[in-house]
Amino acid sequence: MKHFLMRCSMVIAFILILALPVQAAQSYSHLYIAISDALMNTKQDKETEAKQALEQFATDWANVSSEQTEAKAKVDKILQQATDATSKEQRLQALSALSNALRDLEKLENPVDEAAQRTEFGQKFKPIMADFEKALASGDRQAIDEAYKDFNNKWNKNERPVREQSIAMYGQIETQMAFLRISISAEEPDIALMKTQFADLQKTIEDFVAGKETAEVVEGDYSLATLIAYIDEAQDFIDAGDYQSASNKVREFITIWPSVEIEISTRNGSLYTKIESDMPIIASDLLKSTVDQEALTKQLATFRTEIELIQGDADYTIWDAALILLREGLEALLIILALVSFLEKSGQKKMRKWIYVGTFVGVLLSAVAAILMSTILNSATIDTNRELMEGYVGLLAAAMMIGVGIWLHSKSNVVSWNRYISKQMGQAISSGSIVAMAAISFLSVFREGAETLVFYAGIAPKMETSQFILGIVVALLILAVLAIVLFKASGKIPVHKFFAVATILIYVLAFKIIGVSLHTLQLTDHLSSTIVDRFPVMSLIGFYPTVETMIGQAILLVLVAATVIFKKKQA
């Protein structure tokens, strides 16, 4: 076990080294993600998740230093307002102000000439717009399509100043381009309509370059749930054969898309790109004389599931945190109990205090290691690599969980458990010294504490801090009660039965950790996502309908089955 723990510690250290990038200019991208998460969850009335995102922002923000003291103080003030908000409307307003204040601070730290940016943008797009206008004048559908693709590619590469300076103008340009794309993809393209649409698009771009705010703000409280609702409605119209209404519903999706897209782009960049490029084509294909209903239905269903995967980004509960500490704490507790019992039977009760001293030192050093781990995980230097590290550490924790489960399984009968305790006592007896007794109790506690830290490293970043702490407190209270009961009723409690139950719970938690960790890697584009249609997202148990997550969890189930069969053959 010691060798295994040492190897795991080396792996974690290696992962942390890879995750820590060379310090460059201060980046606030992780803070914008936290604001986006808070906005999304507030819109969906997920109070707990919204507060968790704000807590994450506050933790990351505490590590930020800036010479722009006034602007930083403004962020502090608005953050407090968002934290203290008592209504949905107040929090949404505060979060919007928080995003603007952070952007203002970023601009002060990295000053830019916005007028020069607009001029440069206009110079880049002037020849692009001229090329598209020329293609329109030719009436050649293929030339128009190629010119639009070039226009869209250049827009994607150069859209940043528009998005940063005016989200309303950015949204209007995106919507106008999408509707133009729908017209180009029509079965019988209407050149006159395309010319009108392009003229509107061209004017919006020219207004932005001139510094005019002429965009119509899309009013409404939109979220990922809104996008899912529009897709569901479009699917219903398709099933009913009403393709015109389905196309109109997709158009509504496109209209509100700029108001919601950041919630997807910050979590899954590839999905963001696919939705932007494919939704206009879907709206157009629904109006053709021959509609491939099956293909369009499947495509919309895939988008729906992928959006739901982001919406259902899972968190762990207090019971997940409590179970880990309960399992590890109980093993250490039983070893200490065996040592104390040995001293009592051998008439050396006075030496018991050294067992308790070793236990106390083990708990103290475990607490210090926990603080160091928390500091590293919440370090601003990890930044955008945090989620990547969370995914890999989570998988490492799951692997260790499986090992723990197999160990528990092997102790879930009376003979195996008594053999294990006898071995631990034998080690203490052979040592025959006070130092050895203290060392065994210390190593027992610290070893279990180190394992606990690895497990917690896999789930802590996905938990609300208050829930995480509460889970640990609950586990400590239960362990305290168990300690009293065990010391008073030593030898009378069928401990092996506890291990049988704990085995099942450990496997269930490992199932969840595998799913959540693989899902995290998918959201960061470090693992592909192959959607399996018609399966629901069940974030409570970490089930996500993708081939990759299901394969990982299937491997766990196979290992569990093999362990059960192997034990039965040995019995």
Side-chain angles (χ1 to χ4, degrees):
M1 187 68 175
K2 292 178 183 177
H3 295 301
F4 176 65
L5 183 58
M6 185 178 295
R7 287 194 292 268
C8 289
S9 300
M10 291 174 65
V11 171
I12 293 174
F14 181 67
I15 291 173
L16 291 176
I17 290 170
L18 291 179
L20 299 177
V22 177
Q23 186 70 25
Q26 188 159 227
S27 170
Y28 294 143
S29 59
H30 58 301
L31 295 173
Y32 287 116
I33 290 175
I35 293 175
S36 175
D37 287 346
L39 277 167
M40 177 178 68
N41 288 310
T42 300
K43 290 178 180 179
Q44 296 173 5
D45 296 317
K46 294 182 178 179
E47 183 77 8
T48 300
E49 290 83 351
K51 287 182 178 179
Q52 178 184 348
L54 270 174
E55 286 179 5
Q56 183 63 57
F57 181 96
T59 300
D60 293 341
W61 177 248
N63 296 317
V64 172
S65 59
S66 174
E67 295 180 359
Q68 302 296 334
T69 54
E70 187 175 338
K72 188 175 186 299
K74 183 178 179 181
V75 174
D76 291 332
K77 180 180 178 181
I78 298 174
L79 173 58
Q80 191 62 50
Q81 292 174 355
T83 303
D84 296 340
T86 56
S87 68
K88 178 179 179 179
E89 290 70 24
Q90 285 180 354
R91 181 176 291 129
L92 287 173
Q93 186 175 1
L95 287 171
S96 178
L98 183 62
S99 179
N100 291 333
L102 186 62
R103 188 170 288 109
D104 290 341
L105 172 62
E106 200 169 18
K107 287 179 180 178
L108 288 173
E109 291 181 343
N110 305 282
V112 296
D113 187 336
E114 291 189 348
Q117 279 189 336
R118 291 196 300 272
T119 300
E120 183 182 2
F121 176 82
Q123 290 173 346
K124 288 180 179 178
F125 263 80
K126 190 172 182 179
I128 298 170
M129 290 190 291
D131 289 342
F132 187 78
E133 194 168 19
K134 183 178 178 181
L136 272 178
S138 71
D140 185 331
R141 180 173 181 173
Q142 185 175 351
I144 294 172
D145 189 54
E146 290 298 324
Y148 178 84
K149 288 178 181 177
D150 182 56
F151 188 104
N152 187 58
N153 288 335
K154 298 290 175 55
W155 164 252
N156 289 332
K157 292 177 181 178
N158 298 284
E159 66 179 26
R160 184 174 179 178
V162 185
R163 185 176 64 247
E164 291 181 346
Q165 291 190 33
S166 174
I167 193 65
M169 296 291 277
Y170 169 79
Q172 183 159 302
I173 291 173
E174 288 258 298
T175 303
Q176 289 171 335
M177 287 179 63
F179 285 163
L180 181 57
R181 180 60 174 158
I182 292 172
S183 298
I184 294 171
S185 303
E187 195 167 33
E188 295 181 6
D190 186 337
I191 300 297
L193 174 60
M194 282 190 275
K195 287 181 177 179
T196 300
Q197 290 174 326
F198 178 68
D200 292 338
L201 172 61
Q202 191 174 27
K203 185 176 188 307
T204 303
I205 292 175
E206 289 172 349
D207 285 343
F208 168 76
V209 173
K212 299 177 183 177
E213 189 74 28
T214 58
E216 296 180 9
V217 179
V218 178
E219 301 290 345
D221 186 14
Y222 302 113
S223 65
L224 296 183
T226 311
L227 297 181
I228 291 174
Y230 278 139
I231 291 176
D232 286 341
E233 291 178 46
Q235 291 277 37
D236 290 340
F237 283 126
I238 292 174
D239 292 340
D242 188 351
Y243 300 132
Q244 177 66 60
S245 296
S247 180
N248 291 341
K249 191 57 61 176
V250 174
R251 284 172 177 265
E252 290 180 40
F253 179 106
I254 291 170
T255 300
I256 65 104
W257 168 251
S259 303
V260 188
E261 63 174 35
I262 190 172
E263 296 175 14
I264 292 180
S265 63
T266 56
R267 308 296 295 177
N268 190 334
S270 61
L271 175 60
Y272 163 79
T273 302
K274 284 191 291 185
I275 288 178
E276 278 217 334
S277 61
D278 292 355
M279 271 304 197
I281 305 299
I282 292 174
S284 180
D285 287 347
L286 284 165
L287 299 179
K288 292 182 177 179
S289 57
T290 302
V291 175
D292 189 341
Q293 180 175 335
E294 183 179 350
L296 293 176
T297 298
K298 184 177 181 180
Q299 194 171 9
L300 286 172
T302 298
F303 281 151
R304 187 195 190 285
T305 302
E306 291 193 278
I307 295 172
E308 194 177 16
L309 285 173
I310 296 175
Q311 187 185 33
D313 197 6
D315 296 318
Y316 294 98
T317 67
I318 61 171
W319 300 112
D320 295 322
L323 176 62
I324 290 173
L325 185 56
L326 273 174
R327 177 262 169 276
E328 299 299 323
L330 185 65
E331 185 183 348
L333 184 62
L334 291 172
I335 295 172
I336 293 167
L337 175 62
L339 295 174
V340 170
S341 298
F342 162 71
L343 290 177
E344 289 181 349
K345 290 177 182 178
S346 60
Q348 302 182 64
K349 290 185 179 182
K350 291 183 179 180
M351 291 176 61
R352 289 185 304 182
K353 65 180 181 181
W354 297 107
I355 301 294
Y356 300 138
V357 168
T359 301
F360 175 76
V361 174
V363 170
L364 183 64
L365 289 183
S366 294
V368 171
I371 293 171
L372 291 175
M373 182 195 76
S374 177
T375 302
I376 292 172
L377 287 177
N378 289 309
S379 171
T381 57
I382 291 178
D383 196 13
T384 56
N385 291 296
R386 181 182 286 108
E387 286 194 331
L388 177 61
M389 190 182 73
E390 288 172 13
Y392 286 125
V393 172
L395 290 177
L396 174 62
M400 290 185 66
M401 280 272 181
I402 296 170
V404 166
I406 294 172
W407 183 91
L408 285 171
H409 205 98
S410 68
K411 302 293 179 289
S412 58
N413 64 63
V414 178
V415 175
S416 298
W417 174 246
N418 288 337
R419 188 187 305 122
Y420 175 71
I421 287 296
S422 296
K423 179 182 178 183
Q424 295 294 336
M425 287 180 66
Q427 290 174 347
I429 292 170
S430 62
S431 301
S433 69
I434 293 175
V435 175
M437 289 290 181
I440 290 174
S441 62
F442 162 73
L443 291 174
S444 297
V445 172
F446 187 68
R447 184 188 70 182
E448 305 308 327
E451 288 182 2
T452 302
L453 291 179
V454 176
F455 297 150
Y456 278 154
I459 74 169
K462 293 285 185 181
M463 288 189 70
E464 187 175 350
T465 303
S466 60
Q467 295 284 298
F468 181 65
I469 294 173
L470 185 58
I472 292 175
V473 171
V474 168
L476 290 173
L477 290 175
I478 295 175
L479 283 172
V481 173
L482 285 174
I484 295 172
V485 173
L486 286 172
F487 274 90
K488 287 190 175 183
S490 178
K492 299 178 182 179
I493 297 175
V495 178
H496 62 282
K497 291 185 178 180
F498 170 84
F499 281 96
V501 175
T503 301
I504 298 172
L505 295 177
I506 284 292
Y507 284 143
V508 169
L509 184 54
F511 183 91
K512 180 173 183 177
I513 291 177
I514 289 171
V516 172
S517 299
L518 291 175
H519 177 55
T520 299
L521 294 176
Q522 288 175 324
L523 291 180
T524 54
D525 284 335
H526 286 86
L527 184 67
S528 60
S529 297
T530 307
I531 302 296
V532 179
D533 292 333
R534 307 304 180 187
F535 279 93
V537 173
M538 293 183 283
S539 55
L540 183 64
I541 62 171
F543 179 80
Y544 300 92
T546 70
V547 171
E548 293 78 9
T549 55
M550 291 169 71
I551 287 176
Q553 291 169 328
I555 291 173
L556 169 64
L557 297 178
V558 170
L559 288 173
V560 171
T563 302
V564 173
I565 294 171
F566 180 74
K567 186 183 176 186
K568 284 184 177 180
K569 286 183 177 180
Q570 283 190 322

